[in-house]
């Protein structure tokens, strides 16, 4: 009987040193029966160092660029010294030496011809994942796991948009072709995340944090049972733990809830990265490599998600809001188009939009272009700008069908001035703007009412469950 595979992706902090590697090896070893395919990021901080070295080379100093990598290359060697036997250590040391040699050549080329740097930058940063996957596969073999390092560039094909390449559909077939025989033979493939190749073979990368995306692409190609994203927190939390000490792990989220949370600033997977999983309806689990026994957060399709009312409270500070008021808007068409075109021309992303009869309010999290935008907006109406605002977003599928929930939420924070309320377009989030100075107070109160039941008074979430049941 052939069981489905499980993708296990480990981020950089899960492989930061020898102890972390050993821990990851133990986690994988205890899951061998699930037919794991392992996806691993570069060791913590190495991608940043590699990118910084490219910038140094662009400035013309190839020598310092290469030297700047020594501490991180030494970290790799230290891990191999602690965890590998003599034979595999020699092989890994040779890989580190050739990484250094090749990167040295690339730094020289970049210093001489800085304009060509993007493809070469991908060639350089790829070494982060090439070395971590080689090292992890070797550590696994030392631990009795039949692991084999597989070059991700043979699996994931992309366009040639270096630095942020988009995967091509043929990745599915090449991933299956490369991995299925290994899995059938009882081996555990170990693949570096983040890296891929363009049609003519050039190395590409999927954008920062792209290893999650790699895991989802590979999981979709193999029709995995589950995609596990192993990180250093326990799943997705009900609120930012720096604000709410009692924040806790959300057991189950729908894809849409997870996307809304990511959009409004929660530390959760980027929606793009779970898209391949959504299309194949594959559950994504966010697990904690420091506490592997905890179930973490399971992200599933809406139908399988527990229909609780409120799942989490996300927020984003440093928001600027812009209000444009024009009597001309009344009954006229073309106003909104003209307004959005201004933002479009200046490539300013808008987060939340609310409208009334004669005014439109918009929120921006990057207001750098405002000095150019405002004079153009003034041609359309009166413009008011408010800085130091924060978006709070209450997220949960149950918001759709729980009468009175918005009233309960706002009565909880009635002392805080709330603006730009937006509810309904996705119906899994209720979003509004407050002053940045009041965000802590608002979130603490909301969290208490939504998640922290006090004696005799059940939390909003539980009550609502009764309502929807
Ligand atoms: N190592 C890459 C980065 O730091 C990819 C990843 O970690 O997901 O962005
Ligand atoms: Mg990462």
């Amino acid at each position: 009987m052939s069981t489905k595979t499980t993708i296990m992706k480990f981020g950089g902090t899960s492989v930061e040193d020898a102890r972390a590697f050993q821990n990851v090896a133990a986690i994988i070893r205890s899951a061998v029966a699930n037919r794991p395919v392992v996806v691993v990021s570069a060791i913590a901080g190495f991608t940043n160092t590699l990118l910084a070295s490219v910038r140094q080379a662009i400035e013309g100093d190839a020598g310092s660029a290469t030297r700047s990598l020594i501490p991180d290359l030494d970290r790799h060697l230290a891990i191999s010294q602690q965890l590998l036997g003599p034979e595999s250590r020699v092989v890994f040391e040779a890989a580190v030496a050739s990484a250094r040699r090749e990167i040295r050549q690339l730094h020289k080329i970049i210093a001489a011809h800085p304009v060509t740097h993007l493809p070469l930058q991908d060639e350089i940063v790829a070494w982060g994942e090439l070395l971590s996957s080689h090292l992890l596969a070797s550590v696994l073999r030392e631990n009795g796991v039949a692991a084999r390092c597989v070059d991700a560039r043979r699996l994931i094909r992309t366009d040639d948009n270096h630095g942020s390449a988009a995967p091509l559909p043929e990745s599915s077939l090449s991933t299956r072709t490369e991995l299925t025989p290994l899995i059938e033979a009882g081996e555990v493939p170990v693949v570096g995340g983040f890296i891929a190749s363009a049609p003519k073979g050039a190395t590409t990368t999927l954008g920062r944090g792209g290893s999650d995306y790699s895991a989802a692409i590979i999981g979709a190609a193999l029709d995995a049972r589950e995609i596990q994203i192993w990180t250093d927190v326990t799943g997705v939390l009900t609120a930012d733990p720096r604000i709410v000490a009692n924040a806790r792990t959300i057991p189950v989220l729908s894809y849409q809830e997870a996307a809304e949370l990511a959009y409004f600033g929660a530390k959760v997977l980027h929606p793009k990265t779970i898209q391949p999983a959504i299309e194949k309806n594959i559950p994504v689990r966010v697990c904690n490599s420091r506490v592997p026994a905890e179930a973490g957060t399971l992200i599933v399709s809406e139908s399988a998600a527990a229909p609780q009312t409120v799942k989490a409270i996300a927020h984003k500070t440093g928001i600027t809001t812009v209000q444009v008021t024009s009597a001309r808007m009344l009954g006229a068409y073309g106003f909104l188009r003209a307004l959005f075109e201004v933002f479009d021309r200046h490539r300013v992303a808008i987060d939340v939009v609310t409208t009334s009869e004669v005014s439109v309010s918009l929120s921006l999290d990057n207001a750098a272009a405002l000095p150019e935008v405002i004079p153009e907006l003034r041609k359309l109406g009166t413009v008011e700008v408010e800085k130091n605002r924060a978006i709070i977003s209450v997220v949960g599928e149950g918001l759709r069908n729980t009468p009175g929930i918005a009233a309960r939420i706002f009565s909880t924070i009635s002392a805080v001035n709330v603006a730009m309320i937006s509810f309904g377009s996705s119906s899994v989030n209720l979003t509004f703007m407050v002053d940045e100075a009041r965000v802590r107070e608002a979130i603490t109160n909301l969290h208490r009412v939504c998640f922290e039941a006090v004696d005799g008074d059940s939390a909003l979430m539980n009550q609502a469950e009764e309502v929807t049941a």
Side-chain angles (χ1 to χ4, degrees):
M1 193 194 79
S2 89
T3 30
K4 287 186 167 186
T5 61
T6 299
I7 311 300
M8 304 177 82
K9 179 262 168 178
F10 295 89
T13 52
S14 298
V15 288
E16 63 189 356
D17 55 20
R19 196 194 45 84
F21 263 86
Q22 200 55 22
N23 181 43
V24 164
I27 293 171
I28 295 166
R29 191 175 157 177
S30 67
V32 168
N34 297 338
R35 298 189 148 214
V37 171
V38 176
V39 177
V40 64
S41 294
I43 67 169
F46 193 30
T47 306
N48 287 340
T49 311
L50 289 162
L51 286 169
S53 81
V54 172
R55 286 192 295 273
Q56 269 183 308
I58 292 170
E59 279 155 23
D61 195 349
S64 321
T66 311
R67 275 192 301 278
S68 73
L69 304 178
I70 292 173
D72 277 338
L73 293 176
D74 284 348
R75 279 166 68 207
H76 286 86
L77 296 174
I79 296 167
S80 80
Q81 254 152 31
Q82 290 176 66
L83 301 181
L84 300 187
E87 275 169 45
S88 45
R89 197 198 308 164
V90 168
V91 178
F92 183 70
E93 282 168 358
V96 172
S98 68
R100 195 185 173 286
R101 247 189 339 268
E102 285 195 31
I103 295 173
R104 171 93 190 104
Q105 290 312 314
L106 294 166
H107 280 153
K108 281 186 186 161
I109 298 171
I110 292 174
H113 313 275
V115 278
T116 61
H117 85 273
L118 264 185
L120 301 184
Q121 172 170 296
D122 275 348
E123 209 68 60
I124 289 174
V125 290
W127 279 105
E129 274 70 11
L130 291 174
L131 290 180
S132 65
S133 55
H134 180 155
L135 186 51
L136 182 56
S138 304
V139 171
L140 281 166
R141 283 195 300 273
E142 297 290 339
N143 283 270
V145 176
R148 186 197 290 253
C149 177
V150 178
D151 190 334
R153 293 172 294 190
R154 300 173 64 90
L155 315 184
I156 303 180
R157 310 289 175 165
T158 64
D159 61 15
D160 58 6
N161 181 16
H162 287 280
S164 180
L168 300 173
E170 52 259 43
S171 304
S172 252
L173 182 60
S174 43
T175 298
R176 280 195 297 275
T177 309
E178 293 288 329
L179 296 186
T180 310
L182 302 182
I183 299 165
E184 294 295 330
E187 291 190 293
V188 175
V190 179
V191 186
F194 181 52
I195 57 181
S197 62
K200 287 187 187 143
T203 300
T204 56
T205 55
L206 300 172
R208 292 310 304 271
S211 295
D212 294 340
Y213 200 13
S214 306
I217 295 165
I218 294 170
L222 297 175
D223 194 22
R225 185 182 62 85
E226 184 171 288
I227 296 164
Q228 299 174 347
I229 305 293
W230 290 82
T231 168
D232 56 0
V233 292
T234 296
V236 183
L237 300 178
T238 49
D240 184 339
R242 287 167 300 184
I243 291 192
V244 180
N246 289 333
R248 50 185 173 73
T249 300
I250 307 164
V252 185
L253 273 180
S254 69
Y255 294 128
Q256 201 189 340
E257 289 169 335
E260 300 283 346
L261 283 175
Y263 186 62
F264 290 109
K267 266 212 165 306
V268 61
L269 304 166
H270 191 290
K272 177 174 103 174
T273 69
I274 53 175
Q275 193 56 38
I278 295 177
E279 281 161 19
K280 288 278 191 104
N281 217 340
I282 300 171
V284 177
R285 190 186 291 280
V286 182
C287 316
N288 187 348
S289 57
R290 303 204 169 133
V291 199
E294 286 181 5
T297 299
L298 191 64
I299 306 172
V300 295
S301 66
E302 185 195 324
S303 54
Q308 291 155 325
T309 293
V310 172
K311 295 282 181 60
I313 302 157
H315 75 286
K316 233 189 206 177
T317 52
I319 303 291
T320 301
T321 59
V322 178
Q323 188 177 39
V324 184
T325 307
S326 165
R328 272 187 295 151
M329 190 181 165
L330 199 62
Y333 58 86
F335 175 79
L336 284 176
R337 199 202 53 214
L339 182 75
F340 286 124
E341 271 173 6
V342 173
F343 289 94
D344 222 42
R345 268 199 301 282
H346 294 277
R347 302 177 138 270
V348 177
I350 297 167
D351 278 337
V352 181
V353 181
T354 57
T355 62
S356 76
E357 212 55 64
V358 293
S359 79
V360 180
S361 298
L362 313 133
S363 81
L364 319 171
D365 75 9
N366 183 351
L370 262 191
E372 288 103 72
V373 168
I374 289 172
E376 292 193 41
L377 293 179
R378 289 228 166 92
K379 295 179 193 150
L380 300 170
T382 343
V383 180
E384 275 170 73
V385 175
E386 282 186 90
K387 296 211 164 94
N388 304 323
R389 308 284 284 161
I391 299 179
I392 294 181
S393 188
V394 180
V395 174
E397 294 277 354
L399 288 169
R400 286 188 216 277
N401 40 26
T402 312
I405 184 137
R408 289 251 355 229
I409 287 169
F410 290 121
S411 68
T412 304
I413 51 165
S414 55
V416 179
N417 222 336
V418 164
M420 288 184 69
I421 299 168
S422 153
F423 182 40
S425 51
S426 81
S427 68
V428 312
N429 84 73
L430 170 58
T431 297
F432 48 88
M433 217 62 67
V434 302
D435 247 349
E436 216 171 62
R438 307 298 293 275
V439 85
R440 181 171 288 271
E441 170 191 355
I443 289 181
T444 313
N445 286 335
L446 282 169
H447 195 271
R448 203 183 49 246
V449 169
C450 292
F451 302 110
E452 302 164 37
V454 256
D455 295 331
D457 178 21
S458 62
L460 185 51
M461 182 175 86
N462 303 329
Q463 271 186 10
E465 250 177 327
E466 286 158 25
V467 175
T468 47

